[in-house]
Amino acid sequence: MKLVKKTRKSPQWNRRVFGRLLVLIIAAIFVVFAGRFIYIAATGQIAGVDLTKRSHKKYEEDTVVRAQRGTIYDSLGNVLAQDTNAYSVYAVLSHDYVGTNKKPLYVTNKKKVAKILSQYLPLSEAKIYKQMTPTNQAVYQVEFGSAGQNLSLSIKRKIEAQKLTGIYFKESPTRLYPNGTFASHVIGLAQTSKSATADGSQDLVGVMGIEKYFNQQLTGEDGYKNLMQDSYGYALSQKQNKVKAAKNGQDVYLTIDSRLQSYLESLLTTVNKKYKPVSMNAVLMNAKTGEILAASQRPTFNASTKKGIGDIWRDTLVEDGYEPGSVLKIATLSAAIDSGNYNPNEYYKSGSVQVGDKKISDWQTSGWGTIPLSQAFARSSNVGMVKLEQEMGSDVWKSYLTKFGFMKKTGIELPGEVSGSLQYTRPLDQATTSFGQGINVNVMQMLQMTSAIANNGTMIQPQILAGVGKRKTIEPIKVGQPIKASTAKEVLQNMEDVVYQDYGTGQVYQIPNYKVAVKTGTAQITAPTGGYLTGANNYIFSVGGIAPADDPKYILYITMKQPQQMTDSAETILSQIFNPMMQRALEYTKKAEKDKQQQVKLPSVLTKATKTAQSELTEAGLKTALVGSGNLVVQQVPSAGSIILPNQRVLLMTNGAMTMPDVTGWSKNDLLKLSQLTGIQVEIKGSGYAYQQSLATNGLLDGVKKVKVQLK
């Protein structure tokens, strides 16, 4: 047999070379992987990622614990603004959204979903089905517009109870203003911020009024939960968990009295509809303490629905400066008397007076002939005031304007307060300030000035804050003594003359059984082109009053700009607000003083049996009404600790479904409590007491958005 010599080209040789090469490659790969594993084990990192932290993160869950924004209360403990949650519903359509074992988490039965959702949303079944059947098949999820937003918790729970596959909810904080149009610019608004937080949610931020001024105090501090869990999602040792509790915002208490505020809103609305002024302001203040008991403006808006918010964003009570007109004559007369430059028996010629190259006229241009200075104030004579300014001298008069706090903010706890301004370079400027022209003020400055007359010369600061965190006893904040007590008494008598002398301009402001002191005002409005507007209605009409004059308790100040339908005199129009408002306040005080010894501090009946709670409150001399048919009390309004009068109604919400109480005989204030407790809008029509309700007694309130109640 002939042996064949192996060559480099022979198959055997090639196989041997390839085999050795393969072994070398495998060995090299093994060395690389081994080196990689050794590196990872030594450093604990891969591609710059810390594997220990990454693994730790896999088995932990971070949750933000949302803080609650503080609640705003009135002086009676009624809620004016509080946090609540709103929900938006959406449907996932993408078949990529599946769970374990490929279980569908998307909408699988669109017709069923549309049928059920139509029972809870203001959309038809067909419309919902159409929205869930978009032409673009790549749509991942759909929402349902405004109809699917701002859903209550009860509606959310009802939809969830249907166990609809593919239907989910987004939660967002919102602010509840149960009273609607109610000191809206004063209380203000809190809205969701434009920028989202780390967890994708949005915080509430105050953008107006008290909500803005005390935003930092009202805003809480979010907490967090960092929980360790195993690969199945079960919690591990508590020692490894990190928990920081949320710190809720502080509550804010105001001096506003809801009963007086509601009445003021009603009066302003009536006058506003009838005479259609461009704007109005009205503030009722406690003359002794400076507490703002009621304050509002027109135009205004409904804080609950936001209707009308586009008409005006400013709080005109503090943010607008204006020429006050003749109500400022209170300061002029005060300065003249206090500085020793007033002789009531001195006569002067009324009608007009020449100052430089300008003639200044009385509102009755022909004047009243030669009259004593004692009549100048009651007649609201501009000429008489100019005479007083000239006898004082410009420096003395200006010093009193400063003493009365003009050109300086009062410091009331509302954002955007203006300081005002003074035009005082020429003798003409100095003369016109004596009757309220050439000087810009804000509403609170006028109240502050008038307080010196009501408090024997001591001037007090207007206050709207009754406490942050807890309610405090309001003490007057004295901001000066611009005039002597004797001066204040003489000016007060002159203000009475405005009402009770036959030559007074404010006779229409008489209130039966009470002595009233007022000053009327008519201020010209600066024209855009210079000078002043002309025409019977192109003025800012005003009245500032004190009552009772013999023992001042209240100061009421009202302004009205350019009524478009001026079918009555300015005094007649303003008296339709001033007289009933002041009378209501005075009667309220008389009743409060009578019932002072009978006041009740409301106990807490939360978690108590319903019958026990009712029995305790009845024994305390209070009425009760149930919202629900459960056996335990879960909420109460007014809140525990509130100081209330006997025979007031306390609303108790029980566990279980919310049900509609019989509201026959309820006052408007009781109905507002119902809205506050349930979060449901109560639409009130008429005045007096409730006699008709749109939802029957014991009807389910869950899912109801509005209940209508007729008063008579």
Side-chain angles (χ1 to χ4, degrees), residues 254-273:
L254 303 184
T255 60
I256 295 290
D257 184 312
S258 286
R259 289 167 291 186
L260 295 173
Q261 181 68 41
S262 296
Y263 193 51
L264 179 62
E265 297 289 358
S266 177
L267 294 171
L268 286 174
T269 297
T270 300
V271 169
N272 192 56
K273 287 181 178 178

Side-chain angles (χ1 to χ4, degrees), residues 320-324 328 405-408 418-423 433 436-443 445-446 524 526 532:
D320 276 15
Y322 62 97
E323 295 186 351
L328 194 76
F406 295 112
M407 289 77 71
K408 181 182 178 183
V418 296
S419 300
S421 60
L422 179 66
Q423 186 176 325
T433 56
Q437 302 282 171
I439 180 172
N440 266 34
V441 303
N442 69 51
V443 169
Q445 289 172 334
M446 294 297 287
Q524 292 178 290
T526 304
Y532 290 100

Side-chain angles (χ1 to χ4, degrees), residues 187-241:
I187 297 167
L189 284 176
Q191 298 179 332
T192 51
S193 60
K194 293 181 180 179
S195 58
T197 58
D199 66 335
S201 61
Q202 292 178 305
D203 288 327
L204 287 169
V205 177
V207 295
M208 181 194 294
I210 292 294
E211 292 273 27
K212 180 179 180 180
Y213 194 93
F214 290 102
N215 185 64
Q216 184 176 351
Q217 291 87 345
L218 287 162
T219 301
E221 183 180 334
D222 290 344
Y224 64 83
K225 290 181 180 179
N226 181 262
L227 306 178
M228 297 303 298
Q229 58 189 20
D230 62 18
S231 58
Y232 294 98
Y234 294 106
L236 297 175
S237 172
Q238 292 292 325
K239 293 181 180 179
Q240 301 179 59
N241 296 336

Side-chain angles (χ1 to χ4, degrees), residues 310-377:
D311 293 340
I312 187 167
W313 189 262
R314 301 185 317 280
D315 180 355
T316 56
L317 301 178
V318 291
E319 294 185 62
D320 276 15
Y322 62 97
E323 295 186 351
S326 294
V327 178
L328 194 76
K329 291 173 182 175
I330 294 173
T332 311
L333 180 61
S334 297
I337 294 171
D338 203 67
S339 63
N341 291 287
Y342 176 66
N343 180 0
N345 298 317
E346 181 183 352
Y347 280 74
Y348 74 100
K349 189 176 185 307
S350 63
S352 65
V353 62
Q354 192 75 22
V355 179
D357 59 353
K358 175 77 173 180
K359 184 172 79 170
I360 295 175
S361 299
D362 282 320
W363 62 269
Q364 184 169 301
T365 53
S366 60
W368 305 274
T370 300
I371 58 174
L373 277 173
S374 60
Q375 295 184 16
F377 184 85

Side-chain angles (χ1 to χ4, degrees), residues 554-579:
Y554 296 106
I555 297 171
L556 179 57
Y557 180 59
I558 307 169
T559 69
M560 175 181 66
K561 183 179 181 180
Q562 295 171 294
Q564 300 303 294
Q565 295 183 7
M566 198 169 177
T567 53
D568 292 304
S569 69
E571 289 77 21
T572 299
I573 295 172
L574 292 178
S575 71
Q576 294 174 44
I577 302 170
F578 185 95
N579 293 22

Side-chain angles (χ1 to χ4, degrees), residues 73-329:
Y73 295 96
D74 79 342
S75 61
L76 304 171
N78 297 312
V79 172
L80 303 180
Q82 68 180 158
D83 267 9
T84 186
N85 288 320
Y87 301 89
S88 299
V89 63
Y90 65 96
V92 174
L93 305 179
S94 174
H95 288 210
D96 294 334
Y97 191 38
V98 294
T100 55
N101 300 322
K102 301 293 182 179
K103 180 182 178 181
L105 299 177
Y106 51 86
V107 175
T108 55
N109 189 335
K110 294 181 180 179
K111 288 187 176 180
K112 177 184 176 182
V113 168
K115 183 177 181 180
I116 292 175
L117 286 184
S118 67
Q119 299 172 22
Y120 301 100
L121 305 182
L123 285 176
S124 67
E125 181 179 341
K127 187 72 177 289
I128 294 173
Y129 182 82
K130 183 178 180 181
Q131 288 186 251
M132 290 192 298
T133 315
T135 54
N136 183 2
Q137 298 298 317
V139 171
Y140 187 84
Q141 68 185 49
V142 294
E143 299 182 2
F144 302 97
S146 59
Q149 298 173 354
N150 295 317
L151 304 181
S152 67
L153 178 60
S154 62
I155 292 293
K156 172 181 177 284
R157 286 175 174 171
K158 286 183 177 181
I159 295 174
E160 286 177 329
Q162 301 294 330
K163 300 188 184 302
L164 300 174
T165 303
I167 294 299
Y168 304 95
F169 296 87
K170 289 189 291 187
E171 179 182 305
S172 60
T174 188
R175 201 68 165 157
L176 176 66
Y177 299 95
N179 298 321
T181 303
F182 186 94
S184 299
H185 287 85
V186 172
I187 297 167
L189 284 176
Q191 298 179 332
T192 51
S193 60
K194 293 181 180 179
S195 58
T197 58
D199 66 335
S201 61
Q202 292 178 305
D203 288 327
L204 287 169
V205 177
V207 295
M208 181 194 294
I210 292 294
E211 292 273 27
K212 180 179 180 180
Y213 194 93
F214 290 102
N215 185 64
Q216 184 176 351
Q217 291 87 345
L218 287 162
T219 301
E221 183 180 334
D222 290 344
Y224 64 83
K225 290 181 180 179
N226 181 262
L227 306 178
M228 297 303 298
Q229 58 189 20
D230 62 18
S231 58
Y232 294 98
Y234 294 106
L236 297 175
S237 172
Q238 292 292 325
K239 293 181 180 179
Q240 301 179 59
N241 296 336
K242 296 179 182 178
V243 178
K244 180 184 177 183
K247 184 179 179 181
N248 291 335
Q250 293 178 284
D251 295 334
V252 171
Y253 299 87
L254 303 184
T255 60
I256 295 290
D257 184 312
S258 286
R259 289 167 291 186
L260 295 173
Q261 181 68 41
S262 296
Y263 193 51
L264 179 62
E265 297 289 358
S266 177
L267 294 171
L268 286 174
T269 297
T270 300
V271 169
N272 192 56
K273 287 181 178 178
K274 186 175 181 179
Y275 300 103
K276 293 183 169 45
V278 171
S279 64
M280 282 194 297
N281 289 316
V283 183
L284 177 70
M285 185 174 89
N286 183 309
K288 300 298 185 188
T289 63
E291 293 170 87
I292 301 300
L293 304 172
S296 194
Q297 67 181 65
R298 293 294 181 275
T300 187
F301 65 95
N302 185 313
S304 180
T305 63
K306 309 301 183 291
K307 183 179 180 181
I309 195 170
D311 293 340
I312 187 167
W313 189 262
R314 301 185 317 280
D315 180 355
T316 56
L317 301 178
V318 291
E319 294 185 62
D320 276 15
Y322 62 97
E323 295 186 351
S326 294
V327 178
L328 194 76
K329 291 173 182 175

Side-chain angles (χ1 to χ4, degrees), residues 451-493:
S451 73
I453 312 304
N455 288 286
N456 295 316
T458 299
M459 192 166 67
I460 60 174
Q461 177 186 345
Q463 301 183 72
I464 199 162
L465 179 67
V468 176
K470 64 178 182 179
R471 187 181 284 105
K472 65 179 182 179
T473 301
I474 302 296
E475 298 291 343
I477 301 174
K478 299 177 182 179
V479 291
Q481 183 88 23
I483 55 176
K484 296 184 286 289
S486 58
T487 301
K489 289 178 181 178
E490 192 169 347
V491 173
L492 194 59
Q493 180 58 59

